[in-house]
Amino acid sequence: VAGTTGYDALAHIDGLFVDPEGAEELARAYRAFAAPAADQGGDWPATARRAAHRVAAHELASEIERLVRTADRICAARPALRDHAPAALRTAIREILVRLPVYRPYAVPGSPCTPADTALLREAAEGARTAFAVPEEAHAADVVRDAALGLLGDGPDQRDFCARFAQTASALRAKSVEDTAFYRYAPLLSAAEVGGAPERPAVSPREFHAFCARTQRDWPASGTVLSTHDTKRSADVRARLAALCEFPRQWRELLAALE
């Protein structure tokens, strides 16, 4: 492995050609024209979270239930954890998964987890606590967090939970963000791309050069791509869409004329 598959480079190259002020004006025009509710396309984080909940409850429901059964066995084998009901574990698993901002954590029972993954799972678990109507049940989020970090032992169930949790996290993010939310949030479609950040599409020249310098220093053989089998739109189409950032007023006037 000599670096990444190149989507981070794609995002930086695309973002370099996005005018930040123009992108913000396009976002305002989008909300005024389409009038989406905050949780139905008007706000990117809420849109992505809503899509993740939908996928977790439908397309990946069987994977979630498998994790619940494994977590339940882990709890049943430890007297201190036996009071955590499957319903609470289910809520904790689902809510932590939808709050992970990356595709997956990398954890193996018996081995230390990276500080970055530990921090991500702790933050996701803290956010998951807010989904519990009964405060006492929120402790299930701590159990799921520790199981995902490989901190609850090194038995077959613990290893299985760690691996399956990471696999489910990857599938959930791909299906909810790439295949759902990207098509529900549309101020600037060129930013709704694998590796992209629709809520912050612009990349400053300073950021771009810092990324290039870091890549050259640490991962000189890393991938650099503009189009792949997985990109939603080709590089030339994204470049044409990004040009709208230079003409937000004209775009808004055209929308009004066509309405």
Side-chain angles (χ1 to χ4, degrees):
V1 176
T4 72
T5 51
Y7 291 110
D8 51 348
L10 178 153
H12 280 81
I13 293 169
D14 279 7
L16 186 62
F17 294 96
V18 173
D19 179 83
E21 294 182 3
E24 290 180 6
E25 192 168 340
L26 284 178
R28 289 192 293 271
Y30 162 70
R31 295 188 182 98
F33 181 81
D39 65 342
Q40 295 178 332
D43 175 77
W44 169 250
T47 300
R49 182 80 53 81
R50 191 167 184 265
H53 274 290
R54 163 78 187 184
V55 172
H58 293 82
E59 290 90 337
L60 295 179
S62 61
E63 283 79 2
I64 298 292
E65 289 306 310
R66 190 186 192 285
L67 286 170
V68 172
R69 292 192 297 271
T70 306
D72 189 42
R73 290 196 300 271
I74 292 173
C75 289
R78 297 170 71 104
L81 303 179
R82 287 176 184 169
D83 287 341
H84 294 294
L89 293 170
R90 181 181 298 106
T91 298
I93 289 168
R94 183 177 62 243
E95 295 297 330
I96 290 176
L97 282 170
V98 302
R99 284 171 170 77
L100 278 180
V102 296
Y103 278 80
R104 56 165 293 170
Y106 292 86
V108 178
S111 300
C113 196
T114 67
D117 281 342
T118 300
L120 287 173
L121 277 163
R122 284 179 175 170
E123 184 175 352
E126 194 61 34
R129 286 172 164 271
T130 63
F132 287 87
V134 180
E136 291 75 15
E137 293 182 352
H139 292 298
D142 299 334
V143 176
V144 172
R145 175 202 63 205
D146 290 346
L149 287 170
L151 301 178
L152 295 183
D154 192 16
D157 283 330
Q158 287 85 346
R159 290 194 296 272
D160 182 77
F161 187 92
C162 243
R164 292 286 181 171
F165 183 90
Q167 292 165 358
T168 304
S170 296
L172 178 63
R173 187 160 180 84
K175 294 299 294 180
S176 64
V177 175
E178 293 181 26
D179 296 345
T180 305
F182 276 175
Y183 294 94
R184 294 181 177 177
Y185 185 77
L188 183 63
L189 286 177
S190 60
E193 189 53 81
V194 181
E199 77 280 18
R200 186 180 176 273
V203 173
S204 71
R206 181 187 295 273
E207 289 177 288
F208 177 77
H209 288 299
F211 168 78
C212 292
R214 187 170 62 252
T215 302
Q216 178 62 30
R217 182 189 69 232
D218 298 335
W219 302 98
S222 182
T224 301
V225 305
L226 289 177
S227 292
T228 74
H229 69 289
D230 231 5
T231 47
K232 307 304 179 185
R233 296 161 190 89
S234 62
D236 57 332
V237 170
R238 297 198 310 274
R240 286 174 170 84
L241 288 168
L244 288 173
C245 293
E246 303 292 335
F247 307 98
R249 178 179 58 80
Q250 293 90 330
W251 177 248
R252 188 176 64 250
E253 291 172 353
L254 177 61
L255 287 177
L258 294 174
E259 187 176 6

